[in-house]
Amino acid sequence: MTEFGGPEVLRLAELPTPEPGPGETLIRVTRAGLNFGDTHTRTNSYVQKATLPLVPGGEVAGVREDTGERVMGYIQWGAFAEKVASQLLWPAPAAWSAEEAAAFPVNFFTAYLAYWKAGLVDSSARGKRVLIHAAAGGVGTAAVEIGKILGVETFGTSSSDEKLERVRELGLTHGINYEKTDYEKAVLKATDGKGVDAVFEMLGGEHTNKSIRCLADFGRLVQFGSATGKHPEVDARMLYVKSTSVHGLWLSVLSRDERVMKPAWERLSQWISEGKLHPVVGQVLPMGKAAEGYNLLGDRKNFGKVVLKISD
Ligand SMILES: NC(=O)c1ccc[n+]([C@@H]2O[C@H](COP(=O)([O-])OP(=O)(O)OC[C@H]3O[C@@H](n4cnc5c(N)ncnc54)[C@H](OP(=O)(O)O)[C@@H]3O)[C@@H](O)[C@H]2O)c1
């Protein structure tokens, strides 16, 4: 990208191989995960402003150039390329395809850390209630899978009955089509007016206050996005009415802290080895069709992760 804007700013270009910095490893990229954050970066509406020229993309599946080991990696930028230098790498599970490995880092760390921020990663999570917005999306499907393992009762929103049906197969307890039903009313009705213990909120605008109203006493809202393009609106008075709280989550910051990432990976890798996690790959596109992938996310047409095929 040499400019910000619509899909037309995405171009294929020949660039020099990146030089790994201290602690970084050079990866030959086979697949890359496309995230909603990449759509913000393209239009320069992301919380972290990017500098041009830019190779976009934040997560990969590939092969270490030094050892030949199959890995999954997370980086701030540079993933939509044949080679990338990355500091944060994890071994790709042998049973997973390259597409599944590329669909893991952002979705599963973000979803796990949302439960962590909500105080729901130990045995006390069992029987708790969590509202997951965009439950059929990348982070959403990961949050549903993790919720099932933790024994959480999950409420998920989506614009489509068909998508909700597919998420139910992953373990979603209650699906709410927000095009047909007001999710606040649906949550309060299903919980006898009590509300949920946590909301994973990534829409922004009025949805933040609306989601706070879905919380039970002492509930926590985890704000981690603003897909509507609007700033999250928080009426702080509503927090003390039920002694609730709002927490922020940004993987870019948390990923720099080993005290956060190490225990998260220990837990996630345990579940992977037990065959409990299955990254959901909705669509796979060649890199030359990356713009179509961005449109799938913006037009709410994706299910789970959109993956770009970079090389064999
Ligand atoms: N803070 C962090 O570290 C972090 C990390 C990863 C992701 N995120 C954020 O988490 C959210 C989900 O990311 P993702 O990559 O997993 O994307 P995604 O959920 O796979 O895709 C976005 C989905 O959001 C739903 N949606 C609802 N309102 C929308 C709107 N106004 N415009 C577009 N989509 C809308 C659509 O699903 P339905 O049609 O089913 O409603 C759409 O498919 C994004 O806001 C992203 O920025 C934050």
Side-chain angles (χ1 to χ4, degrees):
M1 284 168 48
T2 51
E3 56 185 322
F4 298 112
E8 69 286 350
V9 304
L10 297 163
R11 289 187 299 109
L12 285 177
E14 282 295 336
L15 295 171
T17 298
E19 282 290 329
E24 289 185 340
T25 304
L26 194 63
I27 307 299
R28 180 173 66 76
V29 181
T30 55
R31 303 289 185 275
L34 185 50
N35 292 294
F36 201 85
D38 296 314
T39 68
H40 287 307
T41 300
R42 198 197 64 203
T43 54
N44 203 18
S45 57
Y46 200 42
V47 272
Q48 185 182 32
K49 296 297 170 210
T51 322
L52 295 171
L54 174 82
V55 177
E59 65 183 339
V60 295
V63 178
R64 284 176 72 125
E65 286 281 68
D66 54 355
T67 62
E69 186 194 2
R70 285 179 73 229
V71 286
M72 323 185 269
Y74 173 73
I75 42 268
Q76 195 59 49
W77 326 106
F80 301 160
E82 290 165 314
K83 301 275 171 69
V84 70
S86 172
Q87 206 164 24
L88 272 172
L89 295 177
W90 304 273
W96 286 4
S97 65
E99 285 81 10
E100 287 171 308
F104 174 80
V106 171
N107 292 349
F108 281 87
F109 276 106
T110 305
Y112 180 83
L113 294 172
Y115 282 101
W116 174 69
K117 278 267 173 179
L120 296 176
V121 286
D122 58 21
S123 56
S124 69
R126 188 156 292 281
K128 292 285 194 318
R129 293 165 164 155
V130 176
L131 170 62
I132 301 165
H133 284 300
V139 177
T141 50
V144 168
E145 289 190 20
I146 293 172
K148 185 180 173 192
I149 298 168
L150 292 168
V152 163
E153 183 179 348
T154 45
F155 296 71
T157 68
S158 173
S159 62
S160 138
D161 288 338
E162 192 213 330
K163 285 202 232 177
L164 284 171
E165 204 42 57
R166 292 173 72 183
V167 196
R168 274 196 197 92
E169 287 164 21
L170 299 173
L172 179 70
T173 330
H174 309 272
I176 305 166
N177 183 331
Y178 61 81
E179 297 286 10
K180 296 179 179 170
T181 312
D182 180 290
Y183 65 81
E184 180 185 346
K185 285 187 185 148
V187 164
L188 293 175
K189 190 171 168 211
T191 58
D192 296 326
K194 291 193 181 72
V196 291
D197 300 289
V199 184
F200 298 165
E201 208 314 84
M202 39 54 71
L203 296 164
E206 63 188 323
H207 293 285
T208 306
N209 277 331
K210 194 172 169 64
S211 297
I212 291 172
R213 294 197 295 271
C214 294
L215 286 172
D217 292 356
F218 310 118
R220 293 186 194 180
L221 180 136
V222 181
Q223 188 77 47
F224 65 102
S226 49
T228 57
K230 297 185 182 138
H231 289 200
E233 292 166 14
V234 178
D235 178 352
R237 291 170 306 175
M238 290 192 330
L239 302 180
Y240 55 76
V241 168
K242 293 189 197 168
S243 283
T244 55
S245 50
V246 173
H247 296 242
L249 184 166
W250 195 22
L251 189 59
S252 300
V253 169
L254 294 174
S255 65
R256 291 182 215 134
D257 194 328
E258 213 192 322
R259 292 166 308 171
V260 174
M261 295 302 278
K262 199 165 169 276
W265 170 245
E266 278 166 10
R267 201 77 189 283
L268 289 167
S269 56
Q270 176 68 31
W271 289 334
I272 292 171
S273 66
E274 291 166 1
K276 290 180 177 164
L277 297 185
H278 306 280
V280 176
V281 178
Q283 292 96 345
V284 183
L285 295 164
M287 177 139 88
K289 292 194 173 171
E292 283 180 29
Y294 280 69
N295 290 342
L296 287 170
L297 286 165
D299 297 341
R300 311 180 198 202
K301 297 268 164 48
N302 67 303
F303 183 77
K305 178 76 81 182
V306 178
V307 171
L308 299 180
K309 184 176 175 189
I310 311 289
S311 71
D312 290 322

